Amino acid sequence: MMTANMKTGRTQDWLNLILAALLFFSPWFMGYTGDVMPARNAWIVGAVLALIAIAAISAFAEWEEWLNLALGLWLVASPWMLGFTTHLPAFWSHLVVGLLTAGISAWAVWDYRHEPHATA
C-alpha cells in the first residue's frame, strides 16, 4: 500500500534524478570539460545521485534521502574544497544543483518523518 508520503517521495526522487542528469551533463552544457577537477566531480557525483534516485524510485528507504542530502552539501562545498571557485560555470552549476538536491532531499526526509506510514 502506498501512502501519500511515498507518492511525494517519488516526486522528490524524480526531481533528484533530473538534477543528477543536469549535473552530469553540465560540463558539456556549460563548457568546462577541459577543467578536470570540476568536470570529474560533476560526472562522479551526478552518476551516484542518479543511481541513488533510481534506487529510491524503485524502493524507498530513508537512508537514500540522507545520502542525497550529504551529496548535495558536498556539491555546495566542493568548489572551495577542490579549488574551482574562480571557474564561474563550474562553480554555479555545482552550487545551484547542490542546494536544490540538498533541499529536495531534506524535504523528502521531513515528509517521511512527519506522515503516517503504512504497516504491512
Side-chain angles (χ1 to χ4, degrees):
M1 176 176 199
M2 184 175 285
T3 65
N5 171 28
M6 294 175 87
K7 289 179 187 172
T8 303
R10 286 191 173 248
T11 300
Q12 294 153 342
D13 297 327
W14 280 105
L15 289 172
N16 275 335
L17 183 59
I18 292 166
L19 288 172
L22 288 173
L23 178 65
F24 185 84
F25 292 109
S26 68
W28 290 288
F29 293 154
M30 300 186 77
Y32 63 92
T33 55
D35 294 322
V36 176
M37 194 61 70
R40 284 189 183 164
N41 191 56
W43 293 326
I44 292 168
V45 176
V48 172
L49 282 172
L51 291 172
I52 295 168
I54 291 167
I57 289 167
S58 63
F60 177 83
E62 185 181 9
W63 66 267
E64 295 160 339
E65 303 306 332
W66 282 107
L67 188 52
N68 274 343
L69 178 63
L71 288 171
L73 294 175
W74 164 251
L75 286 172
V76 171
S78 65
W80 288 276
M81 301 292 288
L82 301 176
F84 60 90
T85 56
T86 58
H87 193 287
L88 293 182
F91 172 80
W92 284 110
S93 64
H94 281 72
L95 186 68
V96 170
V97 172
L99 288 171
L100 290 172
T101 300
I104 290 168
S105 299
W107 172 31
V109 169
W110 188 88
D111 271 354
Y112 179 76
R113 291 179 172 241
H114 288 90
E115 289 193 19
H117 305 284
T119 55

